[in-house]
Amino acid sequence: MLHCPAESRQQWRDMTLGKVVQELSSGGCDVKLLEILSHGLTCALNDPPTQLDQQAYPVAYQQLIVAQNQIGWIQLFRCRWAKQWRQCYSPQQGSQDHWSQGTSWILKLGKTLLNQWWSLWDMRNNERHGREVAAAECHLASVVRSRLDELYSLQQKVMPIDRSIYPYEDAATHFEKGSRSLTHLHDWCLDNEPAIRASCYQAEKLGVAGTGDIRLYFQSDHIRLDGAPSGGLDS
């Protein structure tokens, strides 16, 4: 994951080293220790990971480098620091509380690296599972359209009194205007399908499938309210 050649991972590596350098430059630690840390992190991010040659650094730091080589430089991202870091820490301005200063320095950098580690995991999960979520949404939309089409094809086969189950004229309108949530549309299908199919069965059994509501007939232009046929001869 650390060594993935993707552009997003290279940007993460560059950003991580940049943040560490920024943190280091804001402190009062000696330059050689900062150099070791920067080079060590570069070793961890190399593909494959490498180790530092302790012989290339002053004797005072060689025990630190050997210890961190054994632990692994990548372990700095998991807050596993060799104890020699704290021993080698030496603020340029000097301090009576030498041990506490070193501890605070490690905690500060450790938090920065841990945050970067979590951001990498978040990036990886979004890249990997984001596509899966999009594919799942596309599949759900296809399923919902299909189920709505199927249920609306039964609209004229249910009992007339049950046609109020359908809130829209057709499946396409229901899909577009019914809800912004595919899950809600799918739930509507699941909730109403048993009632729709039961009503179709009852209508078929009673022989009323495809008939209209008689109340709508009396409201049409074919029948006048006074009972005389519309368009009939005046007496």
Side-chain angles (χ1 to χ4, degrees), residues 30-195:
D30 74 69
V31 176
K32 188 56 65 175
L33 192 62
L34 305 184
E35 180 183 327
I36 292 172
L37 179 57
S38 179
H39 290 174
L41 289 174
T42 302
C43 289
L45 298 177
N46 284 337
D47 187 20
T50 56
Q51 292 188 334
L52 282 184
D53 179 11
Q54 69 269 19
Q55 300 299 328
Y57 297 89
V59 175
Y61 302 96
Q62 290 183 6
Q63 190 177 359
L64 161 63
I65 295 172
V66 170
Q68 196 64 54
N69 276 340
Q70 292 175 346
I71 296 172
W73 291 93
I74 196 173
Q75 298 298 326
L76 294 176
F77 287 98
R78 298 160 188 167
C79 298
R80 296 186 63 193
W81 297 63
K83 63 182 181 181
Q84 287 82 2
W85 286 103
R86 191 161 43 188
Q87 295 169 355
C88 291
Y89 180 83
S90 177
Q92 292 178 351
Q93 297 178 354
S95 171
Q96 294 180 352
D97 195 359
H98 175 85
W99 191 262
S100 177
Q101 289 271 344
T103 301
S104 298
W105 180 75
I106 292 174
L107 289 175
K108 183 179 180 181
L109 284 172
K111 183 178 180 180
T112 298
L113 293 177
L114 189 59
N115 286 338
Q116 287 300 108
W117 181 259
W118 281 114
S119 71
L120 178 61
W121 267 102
D122 189 48
M123 179 191 304
R124 177 259 187 194
N125 288 336
N126 287 336
E127 290 176 350
R128 181 168 183 175
H129 300 298
R131 290 189 293 269
E132 295 177 4
V133 170
E137 281 284 306
C138 183
H139 176 70
L140 181 58
S142 177
V143 169
V144 169
R145 285 180 183 274
S146 177
R147 300 200 73 162
L148 284 174
D149 287 339
E150 181 182 1
L151 294 179
Y152 269 84
S153 70
L154 303 174
Q155 191 171 14
Q156 297 303 317
K157 298 180 180 181
V158 300
M159 294 287 291
I161 196 172
D162 292 329
R163 288 174 188 162
S164 60
I165 292 176
Y166 296 92
Y168 296 95
E169 294 181 357
D170 52 53
T173 305
H174 193 159
F175 185 85
E176 293 175 3
K177 299 182 178 181
S179 174
R180 294 182 179 180
S181 168
L182 290 173
T183 302
H184 289 167
L185 288 174
H186 194 237
D187 287 345
W188 184 90
C189 295
L190 294 176
D191 292 342
N192 290 281
E193 182 175 6

